[in-house]
Amino acid sequence: MLRIRRFEEKAGQLYGMGLVGGFCHLYIGQEAVVVGVQLALAPGDQVITSYRDHGHMLATGMAPRGVMAELTGRAPGYSRGKGGSMHMFSREKNFFGGHGIVGAQVSIGTGLAFSNHYRGSANVAVAYMGEGASNQGQVFESFNLAALMKLPCVYVIENNRYGMGTSVERASASRNLSQNGAPWCIPGVQVDGMDVLAVHAAAQAAVAHCRDGNGPYLLEMKTYRYRGHSMSDPAKYRTREEVSEMREHHDPITAARAELLRLGVPEAELKSVEDEVKTLINDAADFAQTSPEPDAAELWTDILLENAHP
Amino acid sequence: MTQVLMPALSPTMTEGKLARWLKKIGDDVHAGDVIAEIETDKATMEVEAVDEGKLSEILVGEGTDGVAVNTPIAVLSAEGEAPAATPAPALPKSRAGSEEAGGEDERQVADRAAAVRAPATVAATTPEKVWGATKPTTVREALRDAMAAEMRADADVFLMGEEVAQYQGAYKISQGLLEEFGPRRVVDTPITEHGFTGMAVGAAMAGLRPIVEFMTFNFAMQAIDQIINSAAKTLYMSGGQMGCPIVFRGPNGAASRVAAQHSQDYASWYAHCPGLKVVAPYSSADAKGLLRAAIRDPNPVVFLENEILYGQTFDCPTAEDFLLPIGRARIERPGQHVTIVAYSIMVGVALKAAETLAAQGVQAEVINLRTLRPLDIGTVVESVKRTSRLVTVEEGWPYAGIGSEIAMQVIEQAFDWLDAPPVRVAGLDVPLPYAANLEKLALPQPGWVVDAVRKIV
Ligand SMILES: Cc1ncc(C[n+]2csc(CCOP(=O)(O)OP(=O)(O)O)c2C)c(N)n1
Ligand SMILES: [Mg+2]
């Protein structure tokens, strides 16, 4: 969680310096969600999400250097500088992106689950979406398809209360998004997404349900993003007090730290983890700033794959 | 001591106004504290501290306009640190900076030269393979046989779509496939194009080889976001990691008397997009050979069939391994007076016109494009160099159509060989009407092609 937090702070800083371009959506505040879910997964399970994806990439084990270098649009970035903040992937870590069209990742994620079902593997796919995305038609189409075909897909709605400037109350007639799969009998639960242990417990149950061949599962994570929707969002649709209330009283990292101390982990050990993370992120930022931009020839690569056949 | 720099807070911001300081000298600052408000080109934004310390100096006062991104605006000192004289900061290379940098260096010039043109595609010079024995086959059978052959050869290939399994296909293309391959590999879907197309794209990204049947391409508009934004672009956006081996197939273009919503040619829509291959077969051989190639292709292929052609019979090679390469046109009829370029059902229209023209002493060369992306412009250009005249024929609308593209490429590559301006034959620029007489008036007929040729020959 701390790695994600520090990474995102650094990304925001690099954005401020003009080193990161375009849209940049930070995950600060939501760290417990992806960390809790990821810890419930097994090798081979697939993960897919939206453009708010840096946290997911780090949680699947992707290297901070590669992610940060993609943010700065440099050659050693995960997409060789051709994807940017919203579009990164890792076959090795089974991370399927990074998608910029709100809701599109949900049907693609359903297809990842379909591939597990087709192959008879025990793997599970996790498709993350915002609460704003959860209103998209293709999300409901996916729920129906997954329930109909009994696909092993965990749908995670990261309800951070806002889709850009629109609060969930102004966008969803549904007051309990975890029940959005109810017409298709998809079990769903609401979870305190600021509590990494609660997230982890819920994710374990969801993943077990899917792995056992019972079809999809829906988790609604009640969470909060501290920063604006993207770097250029003045966030005038909510009060300063609302944000500080969450930060000061519900921060997932502060809570986890307190819990660790309570369990007897020495302060010095936590401090050394904090230092380690700081070093890691600073190294990633240096790497991302000093790496070369992609070669002009990269413009024309990766458009089509070479056909081995005719 | 840490400098606080003027941040860029929007994708287009190069400078802004420092509207207000919310902290004063001597205040303690923690990461995340709002220290100032700035006005960007779009909005008033809060500047949050990234580092911790005591605000020891304010370098840019409230109300200052036009503060460039990355200008130091304040200094934070660690506890007990004496405020030092501010050294001139080494500005990192920013978006603003790179645009304003005066002269171009050599690398930029070389980069631009390398960037303007796509790597040259090699024109096919080898003659097309001779496949031997043929047998009369309908386009419908050819498509089914192609899918069956590839499904036998590769367990990762599966067919999915509305009515493909139990109903045997809305147009009976998948006849018998459910019996042979079972419901795991021949998958009926609900009427949910956007969802199942996205699902198939995901399955392809996970390494399977889906064939998605659209009942007709008119309904693929529900799913075009997944076809273009997800299937076609992801390989590029992933730096080559995430391929999408998938075929989107189904009838395209006008059928008969089904009116505007069910009668549209999407050729130029899809052919417009890098990252896709677009195939439009005419004969049974095209259908079989190209569909097999499309299924084996590691890229997303849009395979545009035609309902009226489904029942037509052509000789089709019987060889087990029969396959046609994507990206090669075929000269259906040689001739020396004019080149007529067509695809899909319009190849038949062009061939009829060529017969009429032959009776009038005009020998037309008819080229069946077969693939619209990548376009075999080499074959067209070579032909035009012999005939010096070009007529294009398509069912779709003329505006920004396939004909426009071919004419432009021929002008670029063979202008000096042309003895007359190219002529386009296309569907009329109207939604397709229902009434029999009006429908016929809106779709290209052999007579239109004859007239077009007679304008320039
Ligand atoms: C189909 C589509 N419509 C609109 C947008 C623009 N857009 C990007 S993010 C966003 C808000 C989405 O909110 P939510 O799903 O709650 O995710 P969050 O940003 O909160 O993580 C919008 C409207 C888009 N990218 N795609
Ligand atoms: Mg949201």
Side-chain angles (χ1 to χ4, degrees):
Chain A
M1 287 196 281
L2 193 66
R3 182 186 297 188
I4 298 174
R5 175 75 52 95
R6 293 287 168 264
F7 182 96
E8 293 292 65
E9 287 166 353
K10 187 59 88 177
Q13 196 178 4
L14 296 188
Y15 193 95
M17 291 159 73
L19 287 160
V20 177
F23 295 131
C24 181
H25 310 85
L26 302 182
Y27 196 63
I28 297 178
Q30 301 181 214
E31 297 91 344
V33 175
V34 80
V35 170
V37 173
Q38 191 60 34
L39 288 172
L41 299 185
D45 292 345
Q46 304 110 325
V47 174
I48 190 166
T49 188
S50 69
Y51 46 83
R52 196 178 301 285
D53 53 2
H54 311 160
H56 302 71
M57 296 186 281
L58 297 179
T60 56
M62 289 167 68
R65 276 185 166 204
V67 180
M68 199 71 94
E70 188 61 35
L71 294 185
T72 53
R74 305 301 169 94
Y78 268 100
S79 296
R80 305 222 284 254
K82 298 197 281 195
S85 162
M86 301 188 282
H87 311 289
M88 274 179 254
F89 306 78
S90 168
R91 277 246 175 248
E92 187 201 338
K93 303 291 181 194
N94 273 310
F95 181 70
F96 286 78
H99 295 264
I101 303 299
V102 168
Q105 80 278 10
V106 179
S107 15
I108 300 174
T110 307
L112 299 174
F114 179 93
S115 74
N116 298 333
H117 177 73
Y118 185 91
R119 293 182 164 129
S121 86
N123 282 121
V124 166
V126 183
Y128 292 88
M129 74 196 92
E131 86 299 329
S134 75
N135 295 316
Q136 282 280 24
Q138 65 177 315
V139 171
F140 294 105
E141 294 185 28
S142 296
F143 288 171
N144 181 45
L145 286 164
L148 195 68
M149 300 180 179
K150 280 197 181 275
L151 304 180
C153 196
V154 179
Y155 296 105
V156 182
I157 300 178
E158 299 195 55
N159 181 356
N160 61 12
R161 297 201 216 163
Y162 298 91
M164 246 164 127
T166 304
S167 68
V168 59
E169 294 80 14
R170 296 202 298 120
S172 284
S174 168
R175 283 290 164 268
N176 182 347
L177 305 182
S178 75
Q179 296 310 304
N180 277 11
W184 303 280
C185 303
I186 301 176
V189 293
Q190 269 180 335
V191 184
D192 176 1
M194 306 304 269
D195 175 351
V196 70
L197 295 178
V199 171
H200 184 239
Q204 277 187 316
V207 168
H209 172 93
C210 293
R211 230 189 274 296
D212 291 345
N214 301 313
Y217 202 99
L218 181 50
L219 295 171
E220 180 192 354
M221 300 292 175
K222 301 280 226 179
T223 181
Y224 199 76
R225 71 166 151 72
Y226 297 174
R227 297 294 185 94
H229 166 70
S230 68
M231 289 301 296
S232 46
D233 172 16
K236 293 294 182 224
Y237 43 81
R238 59 184 189 186
T239 62
R240 193 79 216 152
E241 291 67 46
E242 181 183 306
V243 183
S244 25
E245 157 68 20
M246 290 307 291
R247 270 191 167 171
E248 274 150 37
H249 301 296
H250 302 280
D251 186 70
I253 297 176
T254 310
R257 194 177 202 284
E259 178 67 7
L260 287 170
L261 287 173
R262 197 186 63 78
L263 291 171
V265 178
E267 172 77 36
E269 200 172 312
L270 295 181
K271 199 86 198 108
S272 92
V273 169
E274 284 162 1
D275 290 345
E276 233 172 79
V277 167
K278 200 166 181 175
T279 312
L280 183 76
I281 299 306
N282 283 339
D283 166 74
D286 288 344
F287 180 77
Q289 291 172 74
T290 51
S291 295
E293 292 187 314
D295 199 82
E298 278 289 347
L299 259 178
W300 296 101
T301 60
D302 308 323
I303 298 166
L304 292 171
L305 286 168
E306 214 39 65
N307 193 353
H309 305 288
Chain B
M1 194 200 69
T2 322
Q3 285 188 340
V4 180
L5 305 180
M6 181 73 167
L9 290 174
S10 91
T12 46
M13 174 177 170
T14 56
E15 56 169 47
K17 174 176 176 180
L18 211 157
R20 204 151 73 92
W21 279 104
L22 298 170
K23 296 269 176 190
K24 44 187 198 313
I25 292 181
D27 282 355
D28 278 329
V29 172
H30 301 283
D33 286 356
V34 178
I35 54 170
E37 270 180 15
I38 60 170
E39 285 169 21
T40 71
D41 51 345
K42 295 210 173 71
T44 303
M45 307 271 300
E46 292 170 340
V47 180
E48 289 178 358
V50 188
D51 303 295
E52 313 208 302
K54 199 180 272 302
L55 189 65
S56 57
E57 265 185 273
I58 286 183
L59 304 171
V60 175
E62 273 188 11
T64 313
D65 257 324
V67 184
V69 165
N70 282 328
T71 309
I73 55 175
V75 179
L76 295 179
S77 316
E79 211 54 53
E81 190 185 28
T86 313
L91 289 192
K93 188 174 162 226
S94 71
R95 287 188 297 270
S98 62
E99 272 156 37
E100 279 153 23
E104 278 186 309
D105 62 24
E106 273 174 40
R107 179 181 147 147
Q108 275 176 303
V109 176
D111 276 1
R112 217 179 41 224
V116 272
R117 272 226 157 258
T121 41
V122 189
T125 45
T126 46
E128 210 170 297
K129 189 166 169 180
V130 180
W131 289 98
T134 63
K135 123 173 157 219
T137 309
T138 62
V139 170
R140 175 176 283 117
E141 292 160 349
L143 293 167
R144 193 259 329 271
D145 292 350
M147 288 193 283
E150 292 309 305
M151 287 174 77
R152 278 176 214 127
D154 183 349
D156 283 343
V157 177
F158 67 96
L159 172 66
M160 107 186 184
E162 294 158 20
E163 311 290 2
V164 297
Q166 299 201 4
Y167 195 83
Q168 308 284 317
Y171 294 96
K172 299 285 175 278
I173 303 301
S174 51
Q175 194 114 44
L177 295 184
L178 175 65
E179 287 67 28
E180 181 172 354
F181 299 102
R184 178 173 156 270
R185 298 182 66 197
V186 185
V187 185
D188 273 329
T189 67
I191 308 156
T192 184
E193 282 82 4
H194 200 178
F196 75 66
T197 303
M199 185 170 88
V201 167
M205 285 175 182
L208 297 180
R209 296 186 159 257
I211 307 168
V212 176
E213 175 173 310
F214 291 115
M215 196 177 277
T216 81
F217 262 94
N218 300 287
F219 316 134
M221 263 206 280
Q222 302 260 342
I224 200 165
D225 172 65
Q226 288 289 2
I227 298 173
I228 294 170
N229 268 322
S230 303
K233 295 181 187 170
T234 302
L235 182 69
Y236 196 78
M237 292 195 303
S238 65
Q241 287 186 70
M242 228 25 94
C244 189
I246 190 167
V247 177
F248 303 105
R249 52 156 288 273
N252 170 65
S256 181
R257 310 286 314 278
V258 291
Q261 290 180 338
H262 285 74
S263 314
Q264 188 169 334
D265 177 4
Y266 288 90
S268 76
W269 289 49
Y270 292 109
H272 184 64
C273 305
L276 288 179
K277 292 189 179 183
V278 183
V279 177
Y282 164 60
S283 66
S284 304
D286 290 355
K288 184 172 185 183
L290 288 167
L291 184 52
R292 290 188 74 172
I295 295 167
R296 289 185 196 188
D297 202 283
N299 300 290
V301 181
V302 173
F303 197 87
L304 304 169
E305 300 160 8
N306 184 285
E307 187 195 330
I308 293 166
L309 291 174
Y310 281 157
Q312 294 190 15
T313 301
F314 299 83
D315 287 334
C316 184
T318 52
E320 258 318 285
D321 58 342
F322 171 60
L323 197 83
L324 289 175
I326 290 176
R328 281 194 70 168
R330 176 182 146 93
I331 297 175
E332 297 283 342
R333 178 187 172 116
Q336 70 274 24
H337 297 135
V338 61
T339 298
I340 306 178
V341 179
Y343 60 90
S344 185
I345 192 168
M346 286 297 133
V347 175
V349 170
L351 287 169
K352 279 216 180 81
E355 267 171 44
T356 309
L357 287 164
Q360 299 172 11
V362 176
Q363 297 304 329
E365 179 145 299
V366 176
I367 296 179
N368 169 8
L369 286 174
R370 297 198 294 201
T371 301
L372 303 173
R373 177 183 269 271
L375 187 68
D376 182 3
I377 196 67
T379 295
V380 178
V381 165
E382 287 314 308
S383 172
V384 169
K385 285 183 179 173
R386 280 184 271 108
T387 64
S388 305
R389 288 171 173 80
L390 173 70
V391 171
T392 64
V393 191
E394 69 197 294
E395 186 184 286
W397 294 307
Y399 192 102
I402 298 291
S404 325
E405 180 61 30
I406 291 167
M408 188 64 204
Q409 292 203 31
V410 166
I411 287 167
E412 285 173 332
Q413 297 185 35
F415 185 75
D416 291 339
W417 279 268
L418 283 171
D419 285 347
V423 182
R424 279 183 291 173
V425 175
L428 292 195
D429 207 10
V430 298
L432 200 71
Y434 165 72
N437 64 326
L438 296 182
E439 184 183 71
K440 196 153 182 237
L441 285 171
L443 294 174
Q445 309 294 326
W448 298 19
V449 181
V450 172
D451 291 348
V453 168
R454 294 320 310 234
K455 270 196 215 162
I456 54 173
V457 180

